[in-house]
Amino acid sequence: VALIAPTGVYAGISVFPGADGVTIATAGVNVVLRGLSINGQGGNNGISMTAGNSLTVENCVISNLTQNGILVNAATNVNITDTIVRRNGGSGITLLNGVKATITRAVVSGNVNNLGIALYGNTPSTSTVDIADSTIDGNSIGIFARSIVSTAILKLSVRDSRMVGNSYSGLVVESDANAAASLTASNNMVSNNGYGIVAQGAGAKAISTGNTVTGNPSAGFSSGFAVFESAGNNTVRDNGANIGTITVIAAQ
């Protein structure tokens, strides 16, 4: 299934109250959305997926929804590329339930009351999300990964991206019930958020390498009952004091 605008043209979808812009709920389907402008006019979600084999979103603009820009609640494959998700009442992108996703060259901005990109482990499953070359700014938390149940494994990697101006934190990995939740952050700019990079809860682990973490007044690095490892090659300056145990590991 493909919904594709002509090259260089955005096809507009207005989303009105009580509705989602694009709904995907068919097992086995492969969906490609390209060149769309999905604009909320009181509508719920820009894209909502609860079943399907894969979702590809390329060169789209998704904005002004009352809930999420993109919501995927299915054990499916997701690829989001060259897409802007901004000014939504909920989170920009929410991923749940065993999703495997790559997000590349995205801008997730101005979701001021909620999260830029949110990954939740809410079922016995393994969720893997890789984010690269993206800008996440002006949200409450830039990127947030939380494992809620003990058998939900989360694996999040973020590289070569900018988490800036998010009111609470740039990057957060959090575990409940000793669930395994890991964050690998490499070569990112994490600046002018409340906190920089946060790992919280037994079972959570953050590895930080080559990041620039500056101007975060609450803390640059923060670890609460979690494992936080630094490769020792991060630039961490002009933040509030680091919190918790930060372990420097040798390069290999």
Side-chain angles (χ1 to χ4, degrees), residues 4 8 34-35 40 63 105 108 112 128 157 173 182 195 211 243 252:
I4 300 173
R34 182 179 302 146
S63 59
R105 295 186 303 277
V108 184
V112 296
T128 304
S157 71
V173 58
S182 65
Y195 292 84
N211 299 291
I243 298 172
Q252 298 184 20

Side-chain angles (χ1 to χ4, degrees), residues 5-201:
T7 301
V9 177
Y10 281 92
I13 298 175
S14 295
V15 189
F16 295 100
D20 296 328
V22 177
T23 300
I24 305 156
T26 302
V29 70
N30 296 300
V31 176
V32 178
L33 304 175
R34 182 179 302 146
L36 303 178
S37 176
I38 302 175
N39 184 47
Q41 303 288 324
N44 296 337
N45 301 288
I47 300 168
S48 176
M49 184 176 193
T50 55
N53 184 59
S54 70
L55 169 65
T56 299
V57 181
E58 298 177 351
N59 195 33
C60 292
V61 178
I62 303 166
S63 59
N64 300 314
L65 283 306
T66 62
Q67 297 179 20
N68 302 277
I70 299 172
L71 172 63
V72 178
N73 189 359
T76 188
N77 298 294
V78 176
N79 185 291
I80 301 169
T81 307
D82 296 315
T83 288
I84 298 170
V85 185
R86 64 189 176 205
R87 296 194 302 270
N88 298 288
S91 296
I93 301 170
T94 298
L95 306 169
L96 307 98
N97 194 14
V99 71
K100 292 178 173 56
T102 60
I103 300 172
T104 309
R105 295 186 303 277
V107 176
V108 184
S109 180
N111 305 285
V112 296
N113 297 318
N114 221 302
L115 314 173
I117 300 172
L119 169 63
Y120 293 104
N122 60 321
T123 61
S125 60
T126 298
S127 300
T128 304
V129 175
D130 298 294
I131 301 168
D133 302 308
S134 295
T135 295
I136 300 93
D137 71 291
N139 310 286
S140 174
I141 297 175
I143 301 173
F144 179 71
R146 181 186 181 194
S147 186
I148 299 169
V149 300
S150 62
T151 51
I153 299 170
L154 301 185
K155 299 178 180 180
L156 170 65
S157 71
V158 185
R159 66 169 179 86
D160 300 310
S161 296
R162 300 170 63 250
M163 279 63 64
V164 296
N166 299 287
S167 60
Y168 178 75
S169 183
L171 280 166
V172 176
V173 58
E174 184 174 303
S175 172
D176 297 345
N178 296 313
S182 65
L183 163 67
T184 302
S186 305
N187 303 317
N188 300 294
M189 173 68 71
V190 186
S191 295
N192 301 317
N193 310 284
Y195 292 84
I197 303 176
V198 177
Q200 184 71 36

